[in-house]
Every structure is written in C-alpha cells, then in structure tokens.
Amino acid sequence: MQKTVVLNVVGLTKSLIGKNTPFLAKWAAQAQQASIKPAIPAVTCTAQSTYLTGKWPSEHGIVSNGWYFRDEDEVKLWRQSNKLVQAPKVWEVAKAANPNFTVANMGWWYNMNTTADYTLTPRPQYLADGRKLPDCYTQPADLRDTLQAKLGTFPLFNYWGPKTSIKSSKWIADASKITDDLYNPTLTLIYLPHLDYNLQRLGPSDPRIAKDLQEIDAVVGDLISFYEAKGAQVMVLSEYGISDVNQPVHLNRVLRQHGYIQVRNERGTELLDTAMSTAFAVADHQVAHVYIHDKSKIAEVQALLQQQNGVAEVLAGEERDKYNLAHERCGELVVVAKPNAWFTYYFWLDDKKAPDYARMVDIHKKPGYDPVEMFINPKIKFPVPLVVGKLLKKKLGFRTVLDIIPLDATLIKGSHGVLPEDKNEWPVLLTKYKRELPTEVQAIDVFHLILAHLQAEVPKAKAMENV
C-alpha cells in the first residue's frame, strides 16, 4: 500500500489560501483542489466520522458533537469511545485488504477504545481534589511517555479555552513525526485545530486572522515536507468552513418562556432538568437537536421555533432525511440556523442564576456547545493576577474555581454547521493524487479517496466509484 497522510486543517477553505499561507498556496497550485460538500451538522465529530466511514450520520450515528443519551437522561458531549461510531472505519477496511496495513490516528475524534494501531488524544487527569491536569492518552500506552518526555506535557490549555494558541497544533504535529519515525504507519491522520479558535472568536473577515493563517501554514509546511521526503502521498482537508455571524439565538430560553423546560434550583443557581422537561435543545454551533418527551407536542414546538428570528429550518420526522440525520440519537426536531446566526445552550433567564459551570471551561457539564469558553470575561479588570492567584490556590491544595468565562454570546463572530452559500467557504480538499478528481465531492467520498490513495494500484473506476 502507498504510505498516505491526511492533514485535517480545521476551518481551512479556498477563501483562506493566499498571501498569508505561502507554503499552502504554492503546494495547492501544484495539486488538485476540490470543495467538500459537508455533512450537516458541519461539526467536528460528525464530519470526521463521515470521512472515516463513508456513511452519513443516519448510519454511523454521530449526529453532532454530542446528544441526549435517552437511557441515562443526560446530555453528553465530546465522548471519546470509538465504539460510539456505528460503522466500519477506513483503517478497518484497509487492514482487511492488507494485514500489513497500520494506522496512526493523531487527534481525530473518538480515539479511545479503537481498533487503530497508534493513537493520540487529549485526556486530562481529573484528580480527587478537583484539579484538572493536562495530559494525553495514547495507544500503545508508553507512547504517551515517549512523546511527553520529548515534547513536554500535552498543552491542554492551549488546545481549548481562553489560552488557545498554535502551541497545541504544533505539539500534535511534532508528536506525529515522532510516531512516524517509531512505527512508520501506512496511514496517518493528523488533527490541526488552530484555525478553529480565532475564526470563531473574531470571524473570518477580521484582518487579525492573518497571523493565525501564517502560523498554521508553517506547521503544515513542515509536516508536508517531512512526509513527502518519506515518499508519502499527502491529502490536506478540512471539516467545515467558518462563516461570519452576528446573531446568537437562545432556543432553550424560548422553550422555557413557553413552559417546555423545567429547571432545578440548587444553591441559588438553576440546572436544566432534561428528564422533566417536555422539550429542550442540545445546541451545537449552527444546528440544534430538540428532544421532546411528549410526542404530541412536536408540531407545536416545531411551529414555535420556526417563528424565531435567526432560524432557517425546523425539521421533523422524515424531513430530517434532508440532511441524512434520521437516527435514534437525533432529536425529534433538528433546527438549522440562518447563515449569520448560531445557537447557544443558555436556558436561564437571569445571569445571576446561571449554573456555576456556565462561567467555567467545562465541556462535559454544559448541555450544549459553548464557544464563549474561548474568552476571559472582559468585565474582569485584572484577569492575569486573578487567574494566577486561583491557580496558586489550587497548587496549594485549596479548592477554587476558574470562574472567568463571560455569559455574553455576542462576543462570538464566527460559526459553522450549515452549508455556506459560497462554495469558497466550504471545506477544501487538496492532493497531488495523479488521477483526476471532480471539483466538488460529497463528505462520504473522502472515505473512498483515502482508500484510493492507499491502493494506488486499484483501477480508477473501482477506486473512485463513489466520487
């Protein structure tokens, strides 16, 4: 099999390749370029599972970055077990064709309890005293020690939160090179999240994005040079394009104001009671799943949400098949935002009663995605000494919380999840693969393209039958 590397440069689009990405621009000019029509919702877990299985969410079951686990009455986002993906992965298909095939998955999602040979995924240590320490999980287990001995501890707080920076993508890139030198896998999947941060904070139209583009271009250039020197074919792709937004939409507040949501009052704060709520939304960027316990209420909730400013579509029943989303994990309703809007998870009506996790980076407690976690509350006059003081208390063994995240959703200027009207803002695919590619491919075609790169000897008609 042909040694192949897939670089997932999150948020990269044709519109962003240019003077601020000199290496990529030069490399792309020598390569084939295609736009990827993304799976909807165009979010990390859904996109990656679609690429890696060649199936739509209705088949592989990853209907968003998280969903309502009906048997547990809990919303859970960012789970990590690969067993949640209900379809064979590209490496399993490749290994069945060639037992000598191996794969390294360096940061793509659902990367625990997996059949991949070599893996890396962020995995903090959660200590009994409440502390969260940066760390990662690998397979084999001692790869973790090798990587962190050479590169330092995985930079978790540069991977997500107010301190996000190029440092996390650079760490993953360097870890990928070390892993390749150790094991020489046939296929390597590399996740580079850097552009995701400021494209959401600032929006793609902000001139300050130039610095982020220059930073990721340097990392990508280093990786491509490294792998091409080893004779590898390299694919560069992205999961989604990020568009400018200016309108947060609070679906859960609407549902609460109309009596569909129940909360519990604890210590002066409110918690969403999903089990007792008639209907609630699990918001994830520009798409939300609305779960409705009383099925007789579906039509009236659909009508209510369709009236909201910023909502483009509210799909029920077979209508969800428009986006290949009719799976048991899916909400009774799927709500799609207009291009300039996005959905918050907020369910409280008074910020004084917001749950304690709302002001923290806490991706596992929040019943929905919260991009505002990338900001420090601008109302805090001296954030640096405040954070340093809190961290010092933690190191001394005192319990304290980093309650520094604002509750102002208008801070977010970029989002994703829907299909951008401009194809130049669709996710992009670049490759020097010698067989001709169409200018537009479906998300499920990426699976077949990876196999085609690996199996260079396979006749074009067979390798590209789904492209």
Side-chain angles (χ1 to χ4, degrees), residues 7 17 22 40 43 74 117 155 199 211 225 286 288 304 380 436 462:
L7 304 183
I17 299 173
I40 304 297
V43 297
E74 290 185 18
D117 299 282
L199 284 175
K211 180 175 181 289
S225 298
Q286 292 182 301
L304 170 66
I380 299 174
E436 184 178 355
K462 183 177 181 182

Side-chain angles (χ1 to χ4, degrees), residues 4 36 387:
T4 299
I36 303 173
V387 172

Side-chain angles (χ1 to χ4, degrees), residues 345 348 354-360 366 370 373 405-407:
Y345 79 96
W348 58 90
D356 58 358
Y357 59 66
R359 293 181 173 87
M360 298 174 62
K366 295 179 181 180
D370 184 12
E373 288 185 344
I405 305 303
L407 303 180

Side-chain angles (χ1 to χ4, degrees), residues 12-14 17 28 31-37 51 235-238 423-431 436-442 445-446 449 464 467:
L12 186 67
T13 61
K14 287 184 179 180
I17 299 173
Q32 296 190 68
Q33 301 185 40
S35 296
I36 303 173
K37 187 175 183 180
Y51 290 170
M235 294 174 61
V236 176
L237 53 73
S238 56
K423 290 185 179 181
N424 287 322
E425 294 184 359
W426 286 14
V428 67
L429 187 150
L430 309 171
T431 177
E436 184 178 355
L437 303 183
T439 57
E440 178 184 319
V441 298
Q442 297 281 338
D445 295 332
V446 171
L449 282 169
M464 304 295 289
V467 175

Side-chain angles (χ1 to χ4, degrees), residues 364-383:
H364 297 302
K365 284 194 176 73
K366 295 179 181 180
Y369 173 69
D370 184 12
V372 186
E373 288 185 344
M374 290 187 289
F375 289 88
I376 291 178
N377 191 342
K379 294 180 181 179
I380 299 174
K381 292 184 178 180
F382 303 104

